[in-house]
């Protein structure tokens, strides 16, 4: 694996922005990855890129995955995050090359874990995910993707095939200098616990989720 990823050669430290700190082999149930650890000096967050195979520079299969403790670690069905992370890792492994960026500081679309749990409590009372954030006096989406672009640029990536249903991720990468050659849907079958949440993402946050039409009968 190591000999195939020349883009991961040691680079000089940076004073600001995103600094690569460590690069280590990471065998997973999905395949063999390199875990490339970064420090975001601007925000203080520790970040990681999971790199599989010889990624090259153009049309790299890529996922920008926002940290979601409840979904990624606990298997919450309130969202589809855990399933999306697993699907992205499987897709990269099947492709033979690609990158999954695990973006810390993005919990609850950037509002943090405790605020997200408070928003979930409001959703249980009948508010949707947008209304809940606003009721708490918080932004609907506070995520910034500059660090993601910086990590990709450090890895030598110029353009990506972006695994996402969220047009804002596409727009943000382009704004930060990474071209999006294609947006690849990452559609997870909904369940009764998350159908309302997913419909809100489609109707109010512009996510491309055409598969929800097949379960229009669910309340």
């Amino acid at each position: 694996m190591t000999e195939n990823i020349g883009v991961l050669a040691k680079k000089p430290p940076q004073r600001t922005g995103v600094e690569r700190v460590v690069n280590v082999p990471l065998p997973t149930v999905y395949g063999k990855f390199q875990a490339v650890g970064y420090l975001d000096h601007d925000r203080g967050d520790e970040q990681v890129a999971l790199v599989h195979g010889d990624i090259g520079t153009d049309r790299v299969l890529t996922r920008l995955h926002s940290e979601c403790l409840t979904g990624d670690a606990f298997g919450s069905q309130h969202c589809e995050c855990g399933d999306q992370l697993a699907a992205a890792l499987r897709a990269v492994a099947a492709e033979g090359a690609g990158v999954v960026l695990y973006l810390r500081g993005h919990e609850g679309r950037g509002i943090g874990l405790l605020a997200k749990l408070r928003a979930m409590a409001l959703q249980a009372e009948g508010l949707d995910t947008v209304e809940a954030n606003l009721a708490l006096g918080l932004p609907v989406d506070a995520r910034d993707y500059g660090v993601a672009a910086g990590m990709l640029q450090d890895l030598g990536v110029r353009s990506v095939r972006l695994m996402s249903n969220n047009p804002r991720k596409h727009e943000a990468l382009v704004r930060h200098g990474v071209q999006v050659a294609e947006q690849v849907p990452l559609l997870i079958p909904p369940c009764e616990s998350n159908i309302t949440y997913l419909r809100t993402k489609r109707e109010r946050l512009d996510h491309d989720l055409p598969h929800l039409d097949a379960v229009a009968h669910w309340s």
Side-chain angles (χ1 to χ4, degrees), residues 61-162:
L61 188 63
T62 300
R63 166 73 178 165
L64 311 185
H65 189 83
S66 294
E67 175 184 26
C68 177
L69 179 68
T70 51
D72 299 338
F74 303 149
S76 168
Q77 291 190 320
H78 182 269
C79 62
E80 81 279 42
C81 299
D83 288 335
Q84 284 190 317
L85 177 59
L89 290 167
R90 284 194 296 267
V92 164
E95 178 88 1
V99 180
V100 175
L101 303 186
Y102 194 82
L103 300 173
R104 303 186 67 207
H106 279 202
E107 188 79 54
R109 298 195 301 275
I111 64 174
L113 177 60
L114 296 183
K116 181 179 83 168
L117 294 176
R118 292 171 64 201
M120 288 169 62
L122 292 177
Q123 290 171 62
E125 296 175 1
L127 299 187
D128 68 31
T129 183
V130 170
E131 294 166 343
N133 281 32
L134 294 176
L136 292 171
L138 298 170
V140 173
D141 192 336
R143 289 174 292 183
D144 180 85
Y145 296 99
V147 65
M151 293 161 72
L152 290 171
Q153 289 161 352
D154 176 79
L155 293 170
V157 175
R158 293 188 303 226
S159 69
V160 300
R161 287 179 293 134
L162 182 64

